[in-house]
Amino acid sequence: VGVNTASFSAVTASAPTGYTATTENDFIFFINGQYMEHDAISINQAGSTFQLLVNTGSIGYSLEADDEIVSFGKFNS
């Protein structure tokens, strides 16, 4: 059991200077239509890539290439 990464193209998903930093709690994630609990995920901004780090032990299975992850939140793309 490990951590898998899903990524989205986004210029930024970070809060502007002077505001509270953006966390996974500012987004809602679904995998194959099922809600992903926030304690099973973390986020990372790496340049123009927004990374979703998934703790596969917490969600109960490993990510596969055909899994669909949908996210709602504030992205600037």
Side-chain angles (χ1 to χ4, degrees):
V1 178
V3 175
N4 284 327
T5 304
S7 60
F8 305 87
S9 294
V11 173
T12 184
S14 301
T17 302
Y19 289 88
T20 304
T22 302
T23 71
E24 62 270 5
N25 294 320
D26 296 309
F27 300 90
I28 298 173
F29 295 96
F30 296 89
I31 184 165
N32 301 324
Q34 186 173 3
Y35 176 74
M36 296 177 72
E37 295 288 339
H38 286 101
D39 60 353
I41 59 175
S42 60
I43 60 171
N44 182 46
Q45 184 76 42
S48 63
T49 302
F50 176 84
Q51 297 174 331
L52 171 64
L53 307 171
V54 181
N55 182 327
T56 56
S58 291
I59 65 169
Y61 74 96
S62 295
L63 298 179
E64 298 188 14
D66 61 348
D67 285 337
E68 179 181 60
I69 296 177
V70 176
S71 177
F72 294 94
K74 177 63 175 146
F75 295 95
N76 295 321
S77 57

